[in-house]
Amino acid sequence: LALSLGFTRSRVLWQMRRSLYAPLPRPVLPDGVELRPFRVGVDEDAWLAVNARAFARLPDQGGWSRADLERRIREPWFSSAGFLMAWRAEAAGDRLVGFHWTKVHGGSAVGAAHHHAPIGEVYVVGVDPDERGHGLGRALTLAGLHHLRSLDLSQAMLYVDSENTPAIRLYEALGFARWDTDVLFRR
């Protein structure tokens, strides 16, 4: 209908899901990298910088301001324990090289906007472009899935741009399958 009215597809997002009961390999971090939970009031600037670099081609994600981040931190679903930060130890101090921000929605959580059983979400995984190609994205995704599993959740889901072939390959290799498709049209 949209196409017949002169609209064009401007973006296609896949929703992918996987069972958290299915086998889940342990994450293997690159040498010199360790995971720590996000520290409110400490890690914001480091996160904003890596997020901007990781998503330079996706301004709706990479263009976040401090206010955008703080608004999410105040959401009832926010959990520092589920916001995993990958730090590389360097002589000048630890440097943030990636992150996996998970989220739980649905169920009886305070402020739950989704009226369904709780489901874990791979909210956003970002890797500094200088660190790509060493397995950090896979390790971060697995670490987040293990965190969601530890919350006794049965399912995990995520959204991914249909043109992000490397991410789709990773998610499929980790047991995710396409569940639904959202299409954004533009006139």
Side-chain angles (χ1 to χ4, degrees), residues 74-91:
R74 288 191 303 271
E75 289 286 341
W77 53 260
F78 177 79
S79 165
S80 289
F83 195 167
L84 306 173
M85 310 284 279
W87 296 91
R88 177 174 294 288
E90 296 182 342

Side-chain angles (χ1 to χ4, degrees), residues 76-77 104-119 151 153:
W77 53 260
V104 178
H105 54 81
S108 60
V110 175
H114 303 279
H115 302 288
H116 54 70
I119 186 169
L151 302 176
L153 298 168

Side-chain angles (χ1 to χ4, degrees), residues 143-163:
L145 292 174
H146 278 279
H147 168 74
L148 293 170
R149 179 187 272 178
S150 77
L151 302 176
D152 293 325
L153 298 168
S154 63
Q155 291 254 324
M157 53 87 62
L158 58 84
Y159 290 97
V160 62
D161 194 291
S162 66
E163 294 182 8

Side-chain angles (χ1 to χ4, degrees), residues 86-105:
W87 296 91
R88 177 174 294 288
E90 296 182 342
D94 292 351
R95 178 175 61 91
L96 183 65
V97 294
F99 58 88
H100 182 175
W101 192 349
T102 68
K103 143 183 193 182
V104 178
H105 54 81

Side-chain angles (χ1 to χ4, degrees), residues 8 16 26 49 56 89 94 110 122-123 143 155 161-162 176:
T8 58
M16 300 181 81
R26 300 297 315 165
D94 292 351
V110 175
V122 173
Y123 186 49
Q155 291 254 324
D161 194 291
S162 66
F176 282 90

Side-chain angles (χ1 to χ4, degrees), residues 60-78:
D60 59 323
Q61 177 64 42
W64 279 31
S65 68
R66 178 98 180 210
D68 294 324
L69 176 57
E70 289 172 351
R71 193 169 26 262
R72 279 13 173 250
I73 289 170
R74 288 191 303 271
E75 289 286 341
W77 53 260
F78 177 79

Side-chain angles (χ1 to χ4, degrees), residues 32-75:
V33 174
E34 79 171 33
L35 289 184
R36 296 192 300 252
F38 183 85
R39 298 166 299 171
V40 175
V42 176
D43 292 333
E44 287 86 349
D45 291 337
W47 183 84
L48 285 166
V50 170
N51 184 64
R53 286 175 46 77
F55 295 101
R57 293 187 178 164
L58 279 176
D60 59 323
Q61 177 64 42
W64 279 31
S65 68
R66 178 98 180 210
D68 294 324
L69 176 57
E70 289 172 351
R71 193 169 26 262
R72 279 13 173 250
I73 289 170
R74 288 191 303 271
E75 289 286 341

